[in-house]
Amino acid sequence: MLTPVIVGSSGWVASGAQHFLSTIKHKTNPPLIFGSKEGWSHLCNVPVHKLSSCQTVINRLPSSGPLVVFHLAYLTQEKVGQNQQRYIQAIDKINEKVSSIVSNNDVAALIYASSGAARISYDSGSSSAGKSLYGRLKARDEISFGDLCGRHGTFYLAPRIFSLAGPYINKPDAYAISNMIKHASSSGLIKILAERPVWRSYVDVIDLIEVLWGVAVHRKLNFGQSAIFDVVHNVNLEMGDLALAVASHFQLSDTAVERPIFNHGVEPDYYIGAGDQFRSMAWQCGVKFFNLSEMVARTTEFLRRNA
């Protein structure tokens, strides 16, 4: 059987991955989870090991099949302050450990969680946010991990994640969907401050992990041993539509949504990629996605239980 390996123990996607793996535990060996410090995964009921000890932990495994590695450890810049060199060094240190796992073990697949910011960083006309250091490093690492996997014959996926919904959201004030839910439940009003159209594409975090696992395990790609692709399905919407969906969930009228008149001198904000590859993967794996109202309900329920 395969042994799942999760690098990065606490983020939204990492928690979603642990949840998913807990639902298929009879089909895999117990996962190995690595983080910045030791702890315990209550979702998988296994210890969290320090990433610095990863090879020692892997060496203790009985001979029980290849590894499927999820590289979900990423640092947004506020984690290490505004010192860019220190920020790059912190990311490179994590990447070196992941690279050593691929180089020194029987790894069937590596899944590197990239970002929509990487896609936008290639566009010279993109906004300054899209050309941030974070996005440029994600783009750099997509390529370097792809090269590494090519040298070792390891199946490789680099999903560029745009906007998520669903359980395990870890920064409720930082994301539009959770912020709207918070205000709808507390005040009955949803205020959108943007004076221009803002477009986003949503996927439930568990749907994302199910597709990635299905493709990695069965290695179903019609285009070779690797793929860098956008995590985009069918829920592409403007923030006003998201606000209306949240209002509907709380049985509020459309008048509960307030926003300023658009400034037509400002370009719309698009953070949406191309979804053909991801939709094809989902179809091959038989994954049926949560729709928008279901994603709002699932996000709301998680926030309510963890208030």
Side-chain angles (χ1 to χ4, degrees), residues 54-69:
C54 61
Q55 194 57 52
T56 300
V57 173
I58 293 170
N59 288 343
R60 291 202 296 259
L61 287 175
S63 179
S64 54
L67 311 177
V68 174
V69 180

Side-chain angles (χ1 to χ4, degrees), residues 188-194 243-244 253-261:
L189 291 175
I190 303 172
K191 294 183 179 181
I192 302 174
L193 301 179
L244 290 174
S253 70
D254 293 357
T255 58
V257 178
E258 299 179 357
R259 76 180 308 172
I261 297 173

Side-chain angles (χ1 to χ4, degrees), residues 123-181:
D123 179 5
S124 60
S126 64
S127 67
S128 59
K131 295 193 295 185
S132 67
L133 178 62
Y134 175 77
R136 295 197 305 272
L137 290 175
K138 283 291 189 182
R140 178 203 68 173
D141 295 341
E142 289 175 348
I143 296 170
S144 63
F145 280 119
D147 291 344
L148 174 70
C149 289
R151 293 195 299 272
H152 290 278
T154 301
F155 190 80
Y156 175 60
L157 298 175
R160 290 172 171 168
I161 300 169
F162 285 78
S163 299
L164 295 174
Y168 306 107
I169 187 168
N170 59 339
K171 298 177 183 176
D173 293 330
Y175 299 107
I177 188 168
S178 49
N179 199 275
M180 290 180 182
I181 289 169

Side-chain angles (χ1 to χ4, degrees), residues 193-299:
L193 301 179
E195 296 181 347
R196 59 177 173 171
V198 177
W199 290 86
R200 296 292 184 264
S201 180
Y202 281 89
V203 172
D204 189 283
V205 65
I206 304 302
D207 288 339
L208 166 63
I209 298 299
E210 186 175 0
V211 172
L212 296 178
W213 178 259
V215 174
V217 168
H218 300 293
R219 294 185 276 287
K220 291 181 178 178
L221 285 183
N222 297 326
F223 35 85
Q225 279 287 105
S226 67
I228 298 172
F229 57 94
D230 297 339
V231 177
V232 175
H233 197 242
N234 293 325
V235 182
N236 302 323
L237 45 78
E238 205 279 323
M239 285 297 98
D241 297 319
L242 176 61
L244 290 174
V246 172
S248 176
H249 177 80
F250 286 94
Q251 299 182 326
L252 302 173
S253 70
D254 293 357
T255 58
V257 178
E258 299 179 357
R259 76 180 308 172
I261 297 173
F262 286 156
N263 179 350
H264 295 290
V266 181
E267 290 291 322
D269 178 350
Y270 289 101
Y271 191 54
I272 293 176
D276 290 350
Q277 282 181 288
F278 187 62
R279 282 190 286 267
S280 176
M281 291 174 180
W283 180 82
Q284 290 181 61
C285 297
V287 176
K288 295 182 178 179
F289 281 75
F290 293 106
N291 61 35
L292 177 59
S293 61
E294 291 169 330
M295 286 191 281
V296 170
R298 285 165 55 79
T299 309

Side-chain angles (χ1 to χ4, degrees), residues 7-15 35-37 72-92 94 133-134 137-138 170-171 174-175:
V7 178
S9 59
S10 60
W12 190 353
V13 180
S15 296
S36 59
K37 58 185 178 181
L72 309 177
Y74 60 92
L75 296 174
T76 49
Q77 195 162 355
E78 69 270 12
K79 293 281 184 71
V80 290
Q82 298 303 312
N83 185 315
Q84 290 194 358
Q85 190 59 39
R86 189 169 63 178
Y87 176 63
I88 294 170
Q89 290 172 349
I91 290 177
D92 287 348
I94 296 170
L133 178 62
Y134 175 77
L137 290 175
K138 283 291 189 182
N170 59 339
K171 298 177 183 176
Y175 299 107

